[in-house]
Structures are given as C-alpha cells and as structure tokens.
Amino acid sequence: LYHLAIDGLDDAEEVGKRVAQDVKDFVEGDGRAFSPEAFAAIISDVHRRMQELVGLASPPAERYAALVLLDELIDVEMEEGTTQTTRYANIVRAVLWHSAHVALTDADRAVLACAARALGHITRAGGASFSGADFVDFEARQALEKLRDARSEQPALAAVLVIGELARHAPTLFHARVPAVLDLIGLALCNERANVRQVA
C-alpha cells in the first residue's frame, strides 16, 4: 500500500484486487496470530493508507486502486462479526462530494464511478448496527441536493451515479425517493456536459 506501482486505470483495478486479496489472506490467516491490539493497529494502518490514497493529492490511478481495494473489503469481517461499513461509507463520500471545482478528466470520471459502485455495494451489504433505510434516505437526499445545486460537472455526475446505484441495490428503500428524482432528473438530462446526460 505504501509502494504502489500503477500504470493507468486498467492496472489500478488489478493492483487494488491484489492488495485486497493480501489483506483478506492476512485477516483470515496470519492475522489471527497477532494480539487483538496489534491486529487492530495493522487494520487501522490499512484504513489510514486507503484514506490517504483516495485524497485529491493522489493521482487518479492510485485513487481508483484504493477504491477497488475498499470495495473488495466491504464484506470482510475485520473483527468477530463486524465489518467497516460506516468507515468505508465516509471514505467514499469524501471522494464523491469533494468541493474542488476543476474540469474532470476521463480518469476522474472513472474514479467517481468506482466510488459510486462502492457506495452501492455498502448499501447492499449493510452490516451490524447498519440501518439500511436511514442510509439510503441520507444518501438519496444528499445526492438530490447536490444535483439541484450543481454548478459544475463533478457534483452533477456524482449525484446521478449515486442515484443509479441506490436504485439498483436498494429499490424497495429507494422507492420513496422516486418522485423527487423525477422532479430533478431533468436537470441532469439537460446538463450541458455530455457525460452527465449519458449517465442520467
């Protein structure tokens, strides 16, 4: 995680999955030989490094690889009976709703799509102490607000990606938000940026 050599987004997918497998192998194997405190410290370091990699200061390929890693770890029990749902959701939100108003590259758009897929996976996976209805309601409200107030491509694109993932992975819970989506989706369908229109 501290010495990633990534050559473009295609390579980033492979690197993220390879590192995820290493982490899974550790959690399910060698990690059991560590004391609970040492194990928790190692996992905390993995999470801290993921958070660093998804930051805007990192190249898109590294951000993409970190999100693939996160997505692969969503269902992994890091401790007895617990996943990292809330922690991962916060990392993904930071990617989706960052406030930098810059022109997006194709690589940036791929990072947003990967983050939205991870959010959809979190929606589907849930976990202990996870209220699916509250989660979907919060994410849907946030996406609709961002879509309504969008002044640049990034929030508009992130919003339509998130709305699509929520509808796909939690259709029953998302149903109550359909009227609001129909009221606002025209903003995306008429957006001046082709990428937003196509995703909508």
Side-chain angles (χ1 to χ4, degrees), residues 28-192:
E28 295 165 1
D30 294 343
R32 295 177 180 174
F34 287 78
S35 69
E37 295 78 13
F39 178 83
I42 293 168
I43 296 303
S44 178
D45 192 48
V46 170
H47 291 150
R48 183 168 51 252
R49 183 56 178 152
M50 272 197 300
Q51 199 146 14
E52 291 171 356
L53 286 170
V54 300
L56 290 176
S58 299
E62 288 187 3
R63 302 177 75 207
Y64 192 94
L67 286 164
V68 171
L69 168 61
L70 181 151
D71 194 26
E72 292 286 318
L73 296 181
I74 287 169
D75 297 315
V76 176
E77 290 187 2
M78 296 298 181
E79 299 174 37
E80 188 69 28
T82 65
T83 58
Q84 301 292 313
T85 305
T86 301
R87 182 193 296 263
Y88 292 159
N90 288 334
I91 292 174
V92 170
R93 288 177 188 129
V95 175
L96 290 166
W97 309 124
H98 67 79
S99 57
H101 297 290
V102 295
L104 297 182
T105 64
D106 286 344
D108 293 326
R109 295 181 188 102
V111 168
L112 286 178
C114 190
R117 286 194 298 273
L119 193 72
H121 188 175
I122 292 168
T123 303
R124 183 179 75 248
S129 303
F130 179 85
S131 171
D134 289 345
F135 182 83
V136 171
D137 185 62
F138 176 83
E139 299 301 335
R141 274 191 292 107
Q142 182 161 240
L144 290 167
E145 288 170 7
K146 296 289 186 181
L147 179 58
R148 185 186 61 233
D149 300 333
R151 297 291 179 268
S152 62
E153 180 184 0
Q154 186 271 329
L157 181 59
V160 293
L161 286 166
V162 166
I163 289 167
E165 291 295 330
L166 294 175
R168 184 175 300 112
H169 292 289
T172 303
L173 296 174
F174 186 74
H175 185 265
R177 289 285 168 183
V178 169
V181 171
L182 294 177
D183 285 344
L184 290 172
I185 198 65
L187 295 175
L189 293 171
C190 297
N191 194 284
E192 63 186 31

